[in-house]
Amino acid sequence: MQKRQKREEACIVNMVDRFHYNTVLSQVFSPCGNFLAASNTYGDVAIYSLNNVTNPSDATKSSNGIQHPLHHVQPLEGSDICSLSSTPKFLIAGGIGEIRGQTWESVTGAKKEKPRFKILVPAQRERSEQTDVNALQYNSAEEQLCAGCGDNNIYIFNMENGKLVRTLSGHTGFIHSINLSDNQLVSASEDGTVRLWDMRQSAATNIIKPFENPKLNRPELGKWVGAAALSDDWLLLCGGGPRLSVWHLRSMEVTTVFPMKDLKGIHVAKFHEDRIFAGGAGPHFYQFSLNGQIYGQIPTSACTVFSAELQETPQRVLSIAGSSPYIDICTTFNYLDQKLSFALQS
């Protein structure tokens, strides 16, 4: 389901209950690793101190022991936020037709300031509405920002001046996910394809169609691909309606199909060292070996997981979020330690 549809459904709920009936679409850690930012369907970004999360005190917890954010910010001035990313200086938010950047110093500190920059997504003549920025990735080597959008395109912007460097076209459905590894980018789309791109070119270098593989196809869920990731070892991870799978990039052959019977649709798929993390429409967030062995099943607060971020230092944290007013925190990566509330402490 497209993110805009999820937001429209959420907006039916009375705004008084906006944090009770909540969906978190995106998360990102600060460059120092001591803060977590999470965006919801109403344009709010909650900022959490990970020092408080990993070393909780009574002063930072509510009566039920659940942590609350330090505060909320609205980098898009209350407009929808579809995706988040980070540079060493900026928290970047992707919305409808635009991308804005706000300094981490202002986001995490007491001094509030307006966003420092705005990038407009090119408008398409055949579209009557502005496009969603569904996925963001920062390319630190080239100081470029990649944006996977609802108009089926991936746009690459120069972070210094905000100008469009290149447009990657070819998908025929909106972009769900993008992931970078060196100069290679992978994109997952509603059209059922996973495309590999050389960042220096405008045409895809390879196209994979998981739904055409009988081991992966789940026709009752559709052919869409909700998540894709690249590893440093020439491996591609992808899943959506089709089952989660690992592909060998040089041979373009499937090496592993993962056993997740209770996961009806995949929205998160990540490599981490010799492990794979995955989640979606199901009651658990999974941890696998590369050959498909299940290392862990973490029960989740959200009935559908849309976002998961993990880091090793300076705080070891796995943060899982989705269609829930709570964010699940795992400091061991194996079991749920605590929950964060999206709502401010009353």
Side-chain angles (χ1 to χ4, degrees):
M1 183 183 294
Q2 192 173 11
K3 289 185 177 180
R4 180 171 295 181
Q5 290 175 309
K6 293 194 281 280
R7 292 195 303 275
E8 288 173 349
E9 290 174 2
C11 288
I12 297 173
V13 179
N14 190 302
M15 292 301 286
V16 174
D17 298 321
R18 61 190 290 178
F19 299 124
H20 181 69
Y21 298 97
N22 187 55
T23 297
V24 176
L25 294 178
S26 187
Q27 303 175 86
V28 69
F29 293 112
S30 64
C32 66
N34 291 320
F35 296 91
L36 172 70
S39 67
N40 74 349
T41 51
Y42 302 103
D44 302 290
V45 177
I47 306 297
Y48 301 90
S49 166
L50 293 180
N51 290 324
N52 292 344
V53 171
T54 57
N55 300 288
S57 66
D58 292 339
T60 62
K61 294 188 294 186
S62 60
S63 58
N64 58 5
I66 295 177
Q67 295 278 344
H68 291 263
L70 299 174
H71 50 254
H72 288 158
V73 295
Q74 292 186 322
L76 292 166
E77 299 176 353
S79 178
D80 295 335
I81 297 175
C82 314
S83 53
L84 294 175
S85 187
S86 175
T87 74
K89 185 176 181 179
F90 295 105
L91 169 65
I92 302 176
I96 310 300
E98 65 176 346
I99 300 165
R100 294 194 184 187
Q102 196 164 347
T103 64
W104 276 107
E105 183 180 7
S106 70
V107 166
T108 59
K111 183 181 178 181
K112 299 297 180 290
E113 63 178 35
K114 292 184 178 181
R116 290 286 186 90
F117 69 83
K118 178 171 70 173
I119 297 173
L120 296 178
V121 176
Q124 304 296 321
R125 292 182 179 179
E126 63 273 15
R127 292 175 59 91
S128 60
E129 57 184 21
Q130 292 180 306
T131 186
D132 303 8
V133 181
N134 290 332
L136 289 170
Q137 283 272 293
Y138 174 58
N139 182 355
S140 58
E142 302 294 332
E143 295 190 3
Q144 295 175 342
L145 184 67
C146 306
C149 296
D151 63 358
N152 313 338
N153 292 321
I154 302 163
Y155 298 103
I156 302 173
F157 299 98
N158 184 312
M159 281 296 296
E160 184 176 349
N161 55 27
K163 291 185 178 180
L164 180 65
V165 176
R166 188 172 294 107
T167 300
L168 307 182
S169 300
H171 280 295
T172 59
F174 53 84
I175 310 297
H176 280 293
S177 167
I178 58 175
N179 183 245
L180 277 167
S181 179
D182 297 325
N183 276 319
Q184 193 169 34
L185 181 144
V186 62
S187 56
S189 170
E190 184 72 10
D191 65 13
T193 70
V194 176
R195 294 177 184 245
L196 294 159
W197 314 81
D198 185 320
M199 293 283 289
R200 297 158 295 190
Q201 302 175 15
S202 297
T205 57
N206 277 298
I207 301 173
I208 295 173
K209 300 178 180 180
F211 67 92
E212 292 185 346
N213 188 311
K215 295 180 181 179
L216 308 179
N217 190 23
R218 294 188 288 184
E220 72 278 10
L221 299 180
K223 65 181 184 179
W224 59 275
V225 183
L230 291 168
S231 81
D232 296 330
D233 299 317
W234 294 93
L235 295 177
L236 167 68
L237 174 69
C238 63
R243 291 177 175 85
L244 186 70
S245 57
V246 168
W247 299 65
H248 188 266
L249 289 182
R250 291 181 179 174
S251 65
M252 289 298 166
E253 295 292 332
V254 177
T255 62
T256 309
V257 179
F258 293 88
M260 295 183 295
K261 295 181 180 180
D262 66 347
L263 202 56
K264 307 300 182 184
I266 299 156
H267 299 284
V268 176
K270 293 178 179 289
F271 287 106
H272 180 68
E273 298 178 347
D274 62 345
R275 305 269 176 117
I276 286 171
F277 293 82
H284 296 97
F285 188 80
Y286 284 89
Q287 185 178 167
F288 294 99
S289 68
L290 288 174
N291 62 11
Q293 180 183 353
I294 298 177
Y295 283 151
Q297 294 176 253
I298 302 169
T300 58
S301 299
C303 60
T304 300
V305 171
F306 292 120
S307 171
E309 294 295 328
L310 57 97
Q311 67 173 18
E312 291 281 1
T313 59
Q315 324 252 10
R316 196 166 193 257
V317 173
L318 167 63
S319 178
I320 307 165
S323 53
S324 169
Y326 300 107
I327 297 173
D328 297 326
I329 297 295
C330 311
T331 57
T332 65
F333 294 1
N334 293 318
Y335 58 86
L336 177 63
D337 292 307
Q338 60 177 293
K339 295 181 182 181
L340 308 182
S341 172
F342 201 93
L344 294 171
Q345 191 164 9
S346 56

